[in-house]
Amino acid sequence: MCSKQSIYRATVSAKVAAGRDIVLLTLVPEAGDSLPVAQAGAHIDVHLPDGGVRQYSLLSASPYQIAVKNVRDGRGGSRWLHDDVREGDVLTIGTPRNNFSLRPDSSDVLLLAGGIGVTALLFMYRQLTGQGRNVHLHYWIKSSADALLFDQLVGLEHVTLHECGGRVVSMRSLIAQCPAGTDVYCCGPTRMLEEFASITRDLPPEKVHVERFAPVVTADGVTDRPCHLKLARSGMEIEAEPGQTLLEALIAAGVDMDYSCEEGLCGACETRVLAGQPLHLDTVRSPAEHDRLHTIMPCVSRSRSDELTLDL
């Protein structure tokens, strides 16, 4: 896996337990270097020894902090960070990307988190409270031991922790009680995000914000159709064959472009669409948002039309 995205070397200055099977890594630039400025909602790529890349939300911007939940039956990235990485080790990381940014003009903000998904939302909470803005963070956890930084969160103003066995407050009632125009952000397990999507489907799309770190399985009969790609700036014309992603076709033709996760999660390969009808299969943006921005994530998305013209 590769990308032309800028990469940096960062030293692990601290590694501490921050909950059951959760470690908090603090990353600082190597001596004489610096790391890019990051905003709340951003995530970074962490490059693994086997060539893989994983995305982790930032908990803070200076220094960078990431919270890693150990997924024993996962693809190995979190196990490596838990079991092998030590303080003083140097990690290769990417430029922060932010597909989950705060709207600067929102007057009221509701943050809904589950599991390790609280990482980005806790960064947002700290930023918003620091600005004196109206925000409330709700965090669903199995138990206090399973929560990220439970001891720091319990008792905080405008933070509600929902433990199993405690008082159950549904997302639906919380969202229904919000003032009109509230911006609602959610990050958590897939089941939670599916429920959130169902609850908020009638809200204005610009007020609903989701971050996913697992791909959505989508069944659609047009995913395997071929597509003729026209690149407006270079004048190249490329055929994406059935079973080949648009990104694979572009790279095979020698097109130099950013990409990373290849699962429609990170947003690195986002490309403007000048003509044609994309079939959006990523989880970075909603189809409506893509249509408004005229963009596509070619690593997973396809085309409903026989031809797409891209701003490449």
Side-chain angles (χ1 to χ4, degrees), residues 8-30:
Y8 300 86
R9 289 169 59 80
T11 301
V12 179
S13 64
K15 178 182 180 181
V16 298
R20 195 198 319 268
D21 291 329
I22 302 174
V23 293
L24 189 63
L25 301 179
T26 301
L27 308 176
V28 298
E30 287 192 301

mmCIF file with all atom_site columns, all heavy atoms in Angstrom, residues 8-30:
data_model
loop_
_atom_site.group_PDB
_atom_site.id
_atom_site.type_symbol
_atom_site.label_atom_id
_atom_site.label_alt_id
_atom_site.label_comp_id
_atom_site.label_asym_id
_atom_site.label_entity_id
_atom_site.label_seq_id
_atom_site.pdbx_PDB_ins_code
_atom_site.Cartn_x
_atom_site.Cartn_y
_atom_site.Cartn_z
_atom_site.occupancy
_atom_site.B_iso_or_equiv
_atom_site.pdbx_formal_charge
_atom_site.auth_seq_id
_atom_site.auth_comp_id
_atom_site.auth_asym_id
_atom_site.auth_atom_id
_atom_site.pdbx_PDB_model_num
ATOM 1   N N   . TYR A 1 8  ? 5.430   11.744 8.158  1.00 0.00 ? 8  TYR A N   1
ATOM 2   C CA  . TYR A 1 8  ? 6.264   12.321 9.203  1.00 0.00 ? 8  TYR A CA  1
ATOM 3   C C   . TYR A 1 8  ? 6.721   11.205 10.134 1.00 0.00 ? 8  TYR A C   1
ATOM 4   O O   . TYR A 1 8  ? 6.086   10.159 10.221 1.00 0.00 ? 8  TYR A O   1
ATOM 5   C CB  . TYR A 1 8  ? 5.474   13.369 10.001 1.00 0.00 ? 8  TYR A CB  1
ATOM 6   C CG  . TYR A 1 8  ? 4.977   14.514 9.153  1.00 0.00 ? 8  TYR A CG  1
ATOM 7   C CD1 . TYR A 1 8  ? 3.763   14.415 8.476  1.00 0.00 ? 8  TYR A CD1 1
ATOM 8   C CD2 . TYR A 1 8  ? 5.724   15.675 9.015  1.00 0.00 ? 8  TYR A CD2 1
ATOM 9   C CE1 . TYR A 1 8  ? 3.308   15.463 7.674  1.00 0.00 ? 8  TYR A CE1 1
ATOM 10  C CE2 . TYR A 1 8  ? 5.270   16.726 8.223  1.00 0.00 ? 8  TYR A CE2 1
ATOM 11  C CZ  . TYR A 1 8  ? 4.072   16.598 7.555  1.00 0.00 ? 8  TYR A CZ  1
ATOM 12  O OH  . TYR A 1 8  ? 3.621   17.627 6.759  1.00 0.00 ? 8  TYR A OH  1
ATOM 13  N N   . ARG A 1 9  ? 7.808   11.465 10.822 1.00 0.00 ? 9  ARG A N   1
ATOM 14  C CA  . ARG A 1 9  ? 8.289   10.541 11.834 1.00 0.00 ? 9  ARG A CA  1
ATOM 15  C C   . ARG A 1 9  ? 8.013   11.169 13.196 1.00 0.00 ? 9  ARG A C   1
ATOM 16  O O   . ARG A 1 9  ? 8.381   12.326 13.456 1.00 0.00 ? 9  ARG A O   1
ATOM 17  C CB  . ARG A 1 9  ? 9.772   10.258 11.635 1.00 0.00 ? 9  ARG A CB  1
ATOM 18  C CG  . ARG A 1 9  ? 10.035  9.409  10.404 1.00 0.00 ? 9  ARG A CG  1
ATOM 19  C CD  . ARG A 1 9  ? 11.508  9.351  10.050 1.00 0.00 ? 9  ARG A CD  1
ATOM 20  N NE  . ARG A 1 9  ? 12.336  8.813  11.121 1.00 0.00 ? 9  ARG A NE  1
ATOM 21  C CZ  . ARG A 1 9  ? 12.484  7.527  11.386 1.00 0.00 ? 9  ARG A CZ  1
ATOM 22  N NH1 . ARG A 1 9  ? 11.834  6.631  10.646 1.00 0.00 ? 9  ARG A NH1 1
ATOM 23  N NH2 . ARG A 1 9  ? 13.269  7.111  12.355 1.00 0.00 ? 9  ARG A NH2 1
ATOM 24  N N   . ALA A 1 10 ? 7.327   10.409 14.040 1.00 0.00 ? 10 ALA A N   1
ATOM 25  C CA  . ALA A 1 10 ? 6.927   10.921 15.353 1.00 0.00 ? 10 ALA A CA  1
ATOM 26  C C   . ALA A 1 10 ? 7.358   9.934  16.427 1.00 0.00 ? 10 ALA A C   1
ATOM 27  O O   . ALA A 1 10 ? 7.184   8.718  16.283 1.00 0.00 ? 10 ALA A O   1
ATOM 28  C CB  . ALA A 1 10 ? 5.416   11.129 15.413 1.00 0.00 ? 10 ALA A CB  1
ATOM 29  N N   . THR A 1 11 ? 7.900   10.464 17.501 1.00 0.00 ? 11 THR A N   1
ATOM 30  C CA  . THR A 1 11 ? 8.368   9.638  18.613 1.00 0.00 ? 11 THR A CA  1
ATOM 31  C C   . THR A 1 11 ? 7.233   9.419  19.618 1.00 0.00 ? 11 THR A C   1
ATOM 32  O O   . THR A 1 11 ? 6.495   10.360 19.946 1.00 0.00 ? 11 THR A O   1
ATOM 33  C CB  . THR A 1 11 ? 9.545   10.321 19.327 1.00 0.00 ? 11 THR A CB  1
ATOM 34  O OG1 . THR A 1 11 ? 10.596  10.528 18.384 1.00 0.00 ? 11 THR A OG1 1
ATOM 35  C CG2 . THR A 1 11 ? 10.060  9.451  20.467 1.00 0.00 ? 11 THR A CG2 1
ATOM 36  N N   . VAL A 1 12 ? 7.114   8.191  20.082 1.00 0.00 ? 12 VAL A N   1
ATOM 37  C CA  . VAL A 1 12 ? 6.135   7.895  21.134 1.00 0.00 ? 12 VAL A CA  1
ATOM 38  C C   . VAL A 1 12 ? 6.732   8.367  22.453 1.00 0.00 ? 12 VAL A C   1
ATOM 39  O O   . VAL A 1 12 ? 7.618   7.723  23.024 1.00 0.00 ? 12 VAL A O   1
ATOM 40  C CB  . VAL A 1 12 ? 5.826   6.388  21.187 1.00 0.00 ? 12 VAL A CB  1
ATOM 41  C CG1 . VAL A 1 12 ? 4.816   6.088  22.304 1.00 0.00 ? 12 VAL A CG1 1
ATOM 42  C CG2 . VAL A 1 12 ? 5.297   5.896  19.844 1.00 0.00 ? 12 VAL A CG2 1
ATOM 43  N N   . SER A 1 13 ? 6.266   9.509  22.937 1.00 0.00 ? 13 SER A N   1
ATOM 44  C CA  . SER A 1 13 ? 6.830   10.071 24.166 1.00 0.00 ? 13 SER A CA  1
ATOM 45  C C   . SER A 1 13 ? 6.163   9.510  25.412 1.00 0.00 ? 13 SER A C   1
ATOM 46  O O   . SER A 1 13 ? 6.719   9.597  26.509 1.00 0.00 ? 13 SER A O   1
ATOM 47  C CB  . SER A 1 13 ? 6.704   11.595 24.158 1.00 0.00 ? 13 SER A CB  1
ATOM 48  O OG  . SER A 1 13 ? 5.340   11.979 24.168 1.00 0.00 ? 13 SER A OG  1
ATOM 49  N N   . ALA A 1 14 ? 4.963   8.954  25.267 1.00 0.00 ? 14 ALA A N   1
ATOM 50  C CA  . ALA A 1 14 ? 4.270   8.345  26.413 1.00 0.00 ? 14 ALA A CA  1
ATOM 51  C C   . ALA A 1 14 ? 3.300   7.298  25.893 1.00 0.00 ? 14 ALA A C   1
ATOM 52  O O   . ALA A 1 14 ? 2.699   7.450  24.828 1.00 0.00 ? 14 ALA A O   1
ATOM 53  C CB  . ALA A 1 14 ? 3.529   9.406  27.219 1.00 0.00 ? 14 ALA A CB  1
ATOM 54  N N   . LYS A 1 15 ? 3.192   6.227  26.653 1.00 0.00 ? 15 LYS A N   1
ATOM 55  C CA  . LYS A 1 15 ? 2.223   5.164  26.348 1.00 0.00 ? 15 LYS A CA  1
ATOM 56  C C   . LYS A 1 15 ? 1.629   4.732  27.683 1.00 0.00 ? 15 LYS A C   1
ATOM 57  O O   . LYS A 1 15 ? 2.323   4.172  28.534 1.00 0.00 ? 15 LYS A O   1
ATOM 58  C CB  . LYS A 1 15 ? 2.899   3.981  25.663 1.00 0.00 ? 15 LYS A CB  1
ATOM 59  C CG  . LYS A 1 15 ? 1.956   2.814  25.355 1.00 0.00 ? 15 LYS A CG  1
ATOM 60  C CD  . LYS A 1 15 ? 2.719   1.656  24.711 1.00 0.00 ? 15 LYS A CD  1
ATOM 61  C CE  . LYS A 1 15 ? 1.777   0.496  24.402 1.00 0.00 ? 15 LYS A CE  1
ATOM 62  N NZ  . LYS A 1 15 ? 2.501   -0.654 23.797 1.00 0.00 ? 15 LYS A NZ  1
ATOM 63  N N   . VAL A 1 16 ? 0.359   5.041  27.892 1.00 0.00 ? 16 VAL A N   1
ATOM 64  C CA  . VAL A 1 16 ? -0.275  4.756  29.183 1.00 0.00 ? 16 VAL A CA  1
ATOM 65  C C   . VAL A 1 16 ? -1.604  4.050  28.968 1.00 0.00 ? 16 VAL A C   1
ATOM 66  O O   . VAL A 1 16 ? -2.270  4.240  27.940 1.00 0.00 ? 16 VAL A O   1
ATOM 67  C CB  . VAL A 1 16 ? -0.509  6.054  29.993 1.00 0.00 ? 16 VAL A CB  1
ATOM 68  C CG1 . VAL A 1 16 ? 0.797   6.738  30.313 1.00 0.00 ? 16 VAL A CG1 1
ATOM 69  C CG2 . VAL A 1 16 ? -1.444  7.003  29.239 1.00 0.00 ? 16 VAL A CG2 1
ATOM 70  N N   . ALA A 1 17 ? -1.988  3.244  29.951 1.00 0.00 ? 17 ALA A N   1
ATOM 71  C CA  . ALA A 1 17 ? -3.308  2.615  29.913 1.00 0.00 ? 17 ALA A CA  1
ATOM 72  C C   . ALA A 1 17 ? -4.361  3.689  30.138 1.00 0.00 ? 17 ALA A C   1
ATOM 73  O O   . ALA A 1 17 ? -4.216  4.542  31.020 1.00 0.00 ? 17 ALA A O   1
ATOM 74  C CB  . ALA A 1 17 ? -3.404  1.537  30.978 1.00 0.00 ? 17 ALA A CB  1
ATOM 75  N N   . ALA A 1 18 ? -5.438  3.631  29.331 1.00 0.00 ? 18 ALA A N   1
ATOM 76  C CA  . ALA A 1 18 ? -6.480  4.650  29.440 1.00 0.00 ? 18 ALA A CA  1
ATOM 77  C C   . ALA A 1 18 ? -7.861  4.015  29.500 1.00 0.00 ? 18 ALA A C   1
ATOM 78  O O   . ALA A 1 18 ? -8.864  4.669  29.209 1.00 0.00 ? 18 ALA A O   1
ATOM 79  C CB  . ALA A 1 18 ? -6.398  5.601  28.245 1.00 0.00 ? 18 ALA A CB  1
ATOM 80  N N   . GLY A 1 19 ? -7.926  2.737  29.902 1.00 0.00 ? 19 GLY A N   1
ATOM 81  C CA  . GLY A 1 19 ? -9.169  1.981  29.961 1.00 0.00 ? 19 GLY A CA  1
ATOM 82  C C   . GLY A 1 19 ? -8.846  0.541  29.658 1.00 0.00 ? 19 GLY A C   1
ATOM 83  O O   . GLY A 1 19 ? -7.736  0.212  29.228 1.00 0.00 ? 19 GLY A O   1
ATOM 84  N N   . ARG A 1 20 ? -9.842  -0.349 29.853 1.00 0.00 ? 20 ARG A N   1
ATOM 85  C CA  . ARG A 1 20 ? -9.602  -1.761 29.583 1.00 0.00 ? 20 ARG A CA  1
ATOM 86  C C   . ARG A 1 20 ? -9.272  -1.971 28.102 1.00 0.00 ? 20 ARG A C   1
ATOM 87  O O   . ARG A 1 20 ? -10.034 -1.593 27.220 1.00 0.00 ? 20 ARG A O   1
ATOM 88  C CB  . ARG A 1 20 ? -10.831 -2.581 29.945 1.00 0.00 ? 20 ARG A CB  1
ATOM 89  C CG  . ARG A 1 20 ? -10.535 -4.092 30.038 1.00 0.00 ? 20 ARG A CG  1
ATOM 90  C CD  . ARG A 1 20 ? -11.807 -4.942 29.968 1.00 0.00 ? 20 ARG A CD  1
ATOM 91  N NE  . ARG A 1 20 ? -12.939 -4.447 30.704 1.00 0.00 ? 20 ARG A NE  1
ATOM 92  C CZ  . ARG A 1 20 ? -13.256 -4.767 31.977 1.00 0.00 ? 20 ARG A CZ  1
ATOM 93  N NH1 . ARG A 1 20 ? -12.501 -5.590 32.652 1.00 0.00 ? 20 ARG A NH1 1
ATOM 94  N NH2 . ARG A 1 20 ? -14.336 -4.259 32.537 1.00 0.00 ? 20 ARG A NH2 1
ATOM 95  N N   . ASP A 1 21 ? -8.099  -2.526 27.824 1.00 0.00 ? 21 ASP A N   1
ATOM 96  C CA  . ASP A 1 21 ? -7.633  -2.787 26.454 1.00 0.00 ? 21 ASP A CA  1
ATOM 97  C C   . ASP A 1 21 ? -7.502  -1.511 25.624 1.00 0.00 ? 21 ASP A C   1
ATOM 98  O O   . ASP A 1 21 ? -7.613  -1.547 24.395 1.00 0.00 ? 21 ASP A O   1
ATOM 99  C CB  . ASP A 1 21 ? -8.572  -3.771 25.735 1.00 0.00 ? 21 ASP A CB  1
ATOM 100 C CG  . ASP A 1 21 ? -8.500  -5.166 26.299 1.00 0.00 ? 21 ASP A CG  1
ATOM 101 O OD1 . ASP A 1 21 ? -7.422  -5.548 26.786 1.00 0.00 ? 21 ASP A OD1 1
ATOM 102 O OD2 . ASP A 1 21 ? -9.533  -5.869 26.255 1.00 0.00 ? 21 ASP A OD2 1
ATOM 103 N N   . ILE A 1 22 ? -7.302  -0.385 26.285 1.00 0.00 ? 22 ILE A N   1
ATOM 104 C CA  . ILE A 1 22 ? -7.098  0.884  25.585 1.00 0.00 ? 22 ILE A CA  1
ATOM 105 C C   . ILE A 1 22 ? -5.774  1.496  26.039 1.00 0.00 ? 22 ILE A C   1
ATOM 106 O O   . ILE A 1 22 ? -5.513  1.585  27.247 1.00 0.00 ? 22 ILE A O   1
ATOM 107 C CB  . ILE A 1 22 ? -8.222  1.900  25.870 1.00 0.00 ? 22 ILE A CB  1
ATOM 108 C CG1 . ILE A 1 22 ? -9.591  1.331  25.473 1.00 0.00 ? 22 ILE A CG1 1
ATOM 109 C CG2 . ILE A 1 22 ? -7.962  3.208  25.103 1.00 0.00 ? 22 ILE A CG2 1
ATOM 110 C CD1 . ILE A 1 22 ? -10.757 2.226  25.871 1.00 0.00 ? 22 ILE A CD1 1
ATOM 111 N N   . VAL A 1 23 ? -4.937  1.875  25.076 1.00 0.00 ? 23 VAL A N   1
ATOM 112 C CA  . VAL A 1 23 ? -3.722  2.621  25.416 1.00 0.00 ? 23 VAL A CA  1
ATOM 113 C C   . VAL A 1 23 ? -3.791  4.000  24.761 1.00 0.00 ? 23 VAL A C   1
ATOM 114 O O   . VAL A 1 23 ? -4.380  4.180  23.688 1.00 0.00 ? 23 VAL A O   1
ATOM 115 C CB  . VAL A 1 23 ? -2.426  1.905  24.962 1.00 0.00 ? 23 VAL A CB  1
ATOM 116 C CG1 . VAL A 1 23 ? -2.215  0.632  25.746 1.00 0.00 ? 23 VAL A CG1 1
ATOM 117 C CG2 . VAL A 1 23 ? -2.414  1.665  23.470 1.00 0.00 ? 23 VAL A CG2 1
ATOM 118 N N   . LEU A 1 24 ? -3.191  4.949  25.458 1.00 0.00 ? 24 LEU A N   1
ATOM 119 C CA  . LEU A 1 24 ? -3.122  6.317  24.952 1.00 0.00 ? 24 LEU A CA  1
ATOM 120 C C   . LEU A 1 24 ? -1.676  6.588  24.562 1.00 0.00 ? 24 LEU A C   1
ATOM 121 O O   . LEU A 1 24 ? -0.770  6.504  25.397 1.00 0.00 ? 24 LEU A O   1
ATOM 122 C CB  . LEU A 1 24 ? -3.574  7.287  26.034 1.00 0.00 ? 24 LEU A CB  1
ATOM 123 C CG  . LEU A 1 24 ? -3.763  8.746  25.636 1.00 0.00 ? 24 LEU A CG  1
ATOM 124 C CD1 . LEU A 1 24 ? -4.870  8.876  24.605 1.00 0.00 ? 24 LEU A CD1 1
ATOM 125 C CD2 . LEU A 1 24 ? -4.088  9.586  26.868 1.00 0.00 ? 24 LEU A CD2 1
ATOM 126 N N   . LEU A 1 25 ? -1.454  6.884  23.270 1.00 0.00 ? 25 LEU A N   1
ATOM 127 C CA  . LEU A 1 25 ? -0.112  7.153  22.773 1.00 0.00 ? 25 LEU A CA  1
ATOM 128 C C   . LEU A 1 25 ? 0.039   8.648  22.526 1.00 0.00 ? 25 LEU A C   1
ATOM 129 O O   . LEU A 1 25 ? -0.793  9.266  21.856 1.00 0.00 ? 25 LEU A O   1
ATOM 130 C CB  . LEU A 1 25 ? 0.147   6.401  21.469 1.00 0.00 ? 25 LEU A CB  1
ATOM 131 C CG  . LEU A 1 25 ? 0.033   4.869  21.510 1.00 0.00 ? 25 LEU A CG  1
ATOM 132 C CD1 . LEU A 1 25 ? 0.297   4.291  20.134 1.00 0.00 ? 25 LEU A CD1 1
ATOM 133 C CD2 . LEU A 1 25 ? 0.995   4.277  22.523 1.00 0.00 ? 25 LEU A CD2 1
ATOM 134 N N   . THR A 1 26 ? 1.098   9.212  23.068 1.00 0.00 ? 26 THR A N   1
ATOM 135 C CA  . THR A 1 26 ? 1.431   10.615 22.823 1.00 0.00 ? 26 THR A CA  1
ATOM 136 C C   . THR A 1 26 ? 2.573   10.655 21.818 1.00 0.00 ? 26 THR A C   1
ATOM 137 O O   . THR A 1 26 ? 3.595   9.989  22.005 1.00 0.00 ? 26 THR A O   1
ATOM 138 C CB  . THR A 1 26 ? 1.844   11.310 24.121 1.00 0.00 ? 26 THR A CB  1
ATOM 139 O OG1 . THR A 1 26 ? 0.761   11.222 25.056 1.00 0.00 ? 26 THR A OG1 1
ATOM 140 C CG2 . THR A 1 26 ? 2.149   12.782 23.881 1.00 0.00 ? 26 THR A CG2 1
ATOM 141 N N   . LEU A 1 27 ? 2.388   11.421 20.746 1.00 0.00 ? 27 LEU A N   1
ATOM 142 C CA  . LEU A 1 27 ? 3.347   11.455 19.648 1.00 0.00 ? 27 LEU A CA  1
ATOM 143 C C   . LEU A 1 27 ? 3.914   12.856 19.503 1.00 0.00 ? 27 LEU A C   1
ATOM 144 O O   . LEU A 1 27 ? 3.164   13.828 19.376 1.00 0.00 ? 27 LEU A O   1
ATOM 145 C CB  . LEU A 1 27 ? 2.668   11.036 18.333 1.00 0.00 ? 27 LEU A CB  1
ATOM 146 C CG  . LEU A 1 27 ? 1.897   9.703  18.361 1.00 0.00 ? 27 LEU A CG  1
ATOM 147 C CD1 . LEU A 1 27 ? 1.198   9.468  17.028 1.00 0.00 ? 27 LEU A CD1 1
ATOM 148 C CD2 . LEU A 1 27 ? 2.824   8.549  18.680 1.00 0.00 ? 27 LEU A CD2 1
ATOM 149 N N   . VAL A 1 28 ? 5.207   12.944 19.494 1.00 0.00 ? 28 VAL A N   1
ATOM 150 C CA  . VAL A 1 28 ? 5.870   14.240 19.332 1.00 0.00 ? 28 VAL A CA  1
ATOM 151 C C   . VAL A 1 28 ? 6.820   14.152 18.146 1.00 0.00 ? 28 VAL A C   1
ATOM 152 O O   . VAL A 1 28 ? 7.302   13.073 17.796 1.00 0.00 ? 28 VAL A O   1
ATOM 153 C CB  . VAL A 1 28 ? 6.642   14.631 20.610 1.00 0.00 ? 28 VAL A CB  1
ATOM 154 C CG1 . VAL A 1 28 ? 5.698   14.767 21.788 1.00 0.00 ? 28 VAL A CG1 1
ATOM 155 C CG2 . VAL A 1 28 ? 7.731   13.617 20.923 1.00 0.00 ? 28 VAL A CG2 1
ATOM 156 N N   . PRO A 1 29 ? 7.095   15.285 17.506 1.00 0.00 ? 29 PRO A N   1
ATOM 157 C CA  . PRO A 1 29 ? 8.010   15.243 16.353 1.00 0.00 ? 29 PRO A CA  1
ATOM 158 C C   . PRO A 1 29 ? 9.424   14.913 16.795 1.00 0.00 ? 29 PRO A C   1
ATOM 159 O O   . PRO A 1 29 ? 9.814   15.177 17.933 1.00 0.00 ? 29 PRO A O   1
ATOM 160 C CB  . PRO A 1 29 ? 7.909   16.659 15.777 1.00 0.00 ? 29 PRO A CB  1
ATOM 161 C CG  . PRO A 1 29 ? 7.462   17.505 16.921 1.00 0.00 ? 29 PRO A CG  1
ATOM 162 C CD  . PRO A 1 29 ? 6.582   16.631 17.763 1.00 0.00 ? 29 PRO A CD  1
ATOM 163 N N   . GLU A 1 30 ? 10.157  14.309 15.877 1.00 0.00 ? 30 GLU A N   1
ATOM 164 C CA  . GLU A 1 30 ? 11.562  14.079 16.163 1.00 0.00 ? 30 GLU A CA  1
ATOM 165 C C   . GLU A 1 30 ? 12.260  15.428 16.330 1.00 0.00 ? 30 GLU A C   1
ATOM 166 O O   . GLU A 1 30 ? 11.797  16.461 15.821 1.00 0.00 ? 30 GLU A O   1
ATOM 167 C CB  . GLU A 1 30 ? 12.197  13.280 15.028 1.00 0.00 ? 30 GLU A CB  1
ATOM 168 C CG  . GLU A 1 30 ? 11.764  11.821 15.016 1.00 0.00 ? 30 GLU A CG  1
ATOM 169 C CD  . GLU A 1 30 ? 12.625  11.001 14.078 1.00 0.00 ? 30 GLU A CD  1
ATOM 170 O OE1 . GLU A 1 30 ? 12.651  11.333 12.875 1.00 0.00 ? 30 GLU A OE1 1
ATOM 171 O OE2 . GLU A 1 30 ? 13.273  10.050 14.541 1.00 0.00 ? 30 GLU A OE2 1
#
